[in-house]
Amino acid sequence: MFQERTAPVYQASATEVTKEEGLMLYEDMVLGRLFEDKCAEMYYRGKMFGFVHLYNGQEAVSTGVIRAMRRDEDYVSSTYRDHVHALSAGVPAREVMAELFGKATGCSKGRGGSMHLFSAEHRLLGGYAFVAEGIPVAMGAAFRSKYCRETMSDENADQVTACFFGDGAANNGQFFECLNMSVLWKLPILYVVENNKWAIGMSHERATSVPEIYKKASAFGMHGVEVDGMDVLAVRAAAKEAIARARAGEGPTLIEALTYRFRGHSLADPDEMRSKEEKEFWHARDPIKRLADHLITYGLASEEELKAIDQRIQGVIDDSLEFATTSPEPDASELYRFIFAEDV
């Protein structure tokens, strides 16, 4: 019989979010979903090249964590599936789309492409193509915050870092090394495992002796939690608690969000490894539809209001595409620019 591991059900109350907060969360997830849909369209039309890893289905994790943080103050470290993390962090859709087209107006000046989005202005530390590569970078940012506050006596240095990575990264050495150091130094960091069940084509259950990743936190004396990654309100609640602990100097938290990507590993993946039954099970848990149901059920929004948001965000996506396609290519004379930090 088909069975899936799912997180405990989160019982959101009628006062879980205000109308303003609920609509903000909904808008952020819709922005991510429609942006990725447009990327798929452009890729299959031969307008976008290279590796493109989409985030469809996982929006509750990005929105739930990043939108609970301080925009342009706290740090975000991503993976190669980084488009939606960038959008949630505040990087304009225009700049993200332009980067995917390799244009000079992109957030990485056309040098990074899909897997290497970066924005110093929005404290986005980058997307990383190698599995687990961003974990030590994120830990370094968290160390900076603690060092500035405690050694340099900067009372404003209470920034928190959110480090995103997939289930496959939790088997890599950097993961264990950084968890150990983070606890020793009580660093203000959230390690967010987006467990979507598949590391490219390898099932998480087949590759991991202890599938419950959050339990690995206990080996280091770290606080670890399991959360329904298809429920933005559940993710948000866990993130807010972890952020508060981090700012209070209580150290790191490992959050395992059980989620699912609705598309293949990348747009070049025919997605033949996963069963139809598995896909149907997770599609029925669509995070955007679940939040919409919550907002309507508790009278925080009407179907008309949500449809209006959908239409407005589609306009933002269309504008980003127009901006990207009409933006200039990087000039050949600047081939060696942006290699070093001082050359900006």
Side-chain angles (χ1 to χ4, degrees):
M1 183 177 177
F2 176 75
Q3 290 184 330
E4 282 285 5
R5 172 193 166 200
T6 55
V9 176
Y10 182 75
Q11 298 292 349
S13 67
T15 58
E16 186 79 19
V17 290
T18 64
K19 177 171 183 173
E20 181 181 7
E21 290 171 334
L23 293 180
M24 176 272 291
L25 296 173
Y26 180 82
E27 179 177 315
D28 198 68
M29 287 200 291
V30 169
L31 174 62
R33 177 69 59 85
L34 296 183
F35 187 93
E36 298 293 65
D37 287 345
K38 182 59 68 174
C39 288
E41 177 189 340
M42 291 299 103
Y43 183 90
Y44 290 130
R45 288 177 58 186
K47 304 294 184 180
M48 189 180 290
F49 306 97
F51 287 103
V52 180
H53 307 81
L54 299 188
Y55 200 76
N56 300 59
Q58 300 183 203
E59 296 88 356
V61 186
S62 178
T63 297
V65 174
I66 298 175
R67 295 313 300 268
M69 303 172 74
R70 297 176 185 167
R71 255 193 179 178
D72 303 335
E73 291 186 33
D74 291 329
Y75 294 94
V76 174
S77 174
S78 187
T79 68
Y80 49 74
R81 204 178 301 279
D82 56 353
H83 311 164
V84 179
H85 293 153
L87 294 171
S88 291
V91 183
R94 279 184 161 200
E95 294 184 18
V96 179
M97 188 67 79
E99 186 60 37
L100 298 179
F101 276 80
K103 298 301 183 70
T105 53
C107 59
S108 297
K109 311 300 182 185
R111 272 73 167 177
S114 173
M115 294 188 284
H116 300 286
L117 302 178
F118 171 82
S119 177
E121 176 186 357
H122 301 288
R123 300 295 180 102
L124 178 68
L125 298 173
Y128 296 89
F130 288 104
V131 174
E133 185 182 15
I135 299 178
V137 175
M139 193 192 74
F143 177 79
R144 173 201 178 277
S145 298
K146 185 178 179 67
Y147 185 86
C148 287
R149 186 175 183 84
E150 297 185 0
T151 305
M152 306 300 291
S153 300
D154 183 356
E155 295 182 357
N156 296 318
D158 65 343
Q159 295 84 8
V160 171
T161 299
C163 177
F164 292 89
F165 50 94
D167 46 280
N171 289 325
N172 284 31
Q174 297 101 313
F175 171 75
F176 298 100
E177 294 173 17
C178 290
L179 260 62
N180 180 58
M181 295 172 72
S182 296
V183 174
L184 283 173
W185 296 337
K186 288 191 175 181
L187 298 184
I189 186 169
L190 280 62
Y191 291 106
V192 185
V193 186
E194 299 188 278
N195 185 352
N196 61 23
K197 290 176 54 64
W198 292 86
I200 305 181
M202 172 59 72
S203 169
H204 174 64
E205 285 74 13
R206 290 183 59 197
T208 306
S209 58
V210 179
E212 297 85 358
I213 300 171
Y214 75 98
K215 292 182 179 179
K216 298 180 181 181
S218 63
F220 303 97
M222 180 185 292
H223 185 58
V225 295
E226 177 189 36
V227 67
D228 184 352
M230 305 300 277
D231 183 347
V232 68
L233 300 181
V235 175
R236 182 172 181 265
K240 289 177 70 174
E241 180 181 343
I243 292 167
R245 291 184 66 256
R247 289 204 208 281
E250 296 175 14
T253 300
L254 174 63
I255 300 174
E256 181 184 6
L258 299 179
T259 186
Y260 200 74
R261 52 175 167 79
F262 289 168
R263 294 179 179 270
H265 172 68
S266 73
L267 288 176
D269 176 13
D271 195 19
E272 297 174 344
M273 301 292 291
R274 305 183 298 176
S275 70
K276 178 182 178 182
E277 193 175 15
E278 177 182 299
K279 294 177 186 177
E280 290 176 347
F281 174 87
W282 288 96
H283 273 277
R285 303 169 64 83
D286 189 312
I288 296 178
K289 293 180 181 178
R290 290 178 72 179
L291 178 61
D293 289 343
H294 176 88
L295 297 177
I296 293 172
T297 298
Y298 290 107
L300 298 174
S302 64
E303 291 187 14
E304 290 71 23
E305 286 178 295
L306 299 182
K307 288 180 180 178
I309 290 175
D310 295 345
Q311 294 174 355
R312 179 163 54 81
I313 295 302
Q314 187 61 60
V316 172
I317 302 303
D318 294 341
D319 172 75
S320 72
L321 180 62
E322 174 67 19
F323 177 78
T325 54
T326 58
S327 288
E329 303 277 350
D331 195 281
S333 65
E334 294 190 333
L335 179 63
Y336 298 104
R337 192 180 175 194
F338 303 120
I339 294 176
F340 299 104
E342 62 269 19
D343 187 24
V344 294

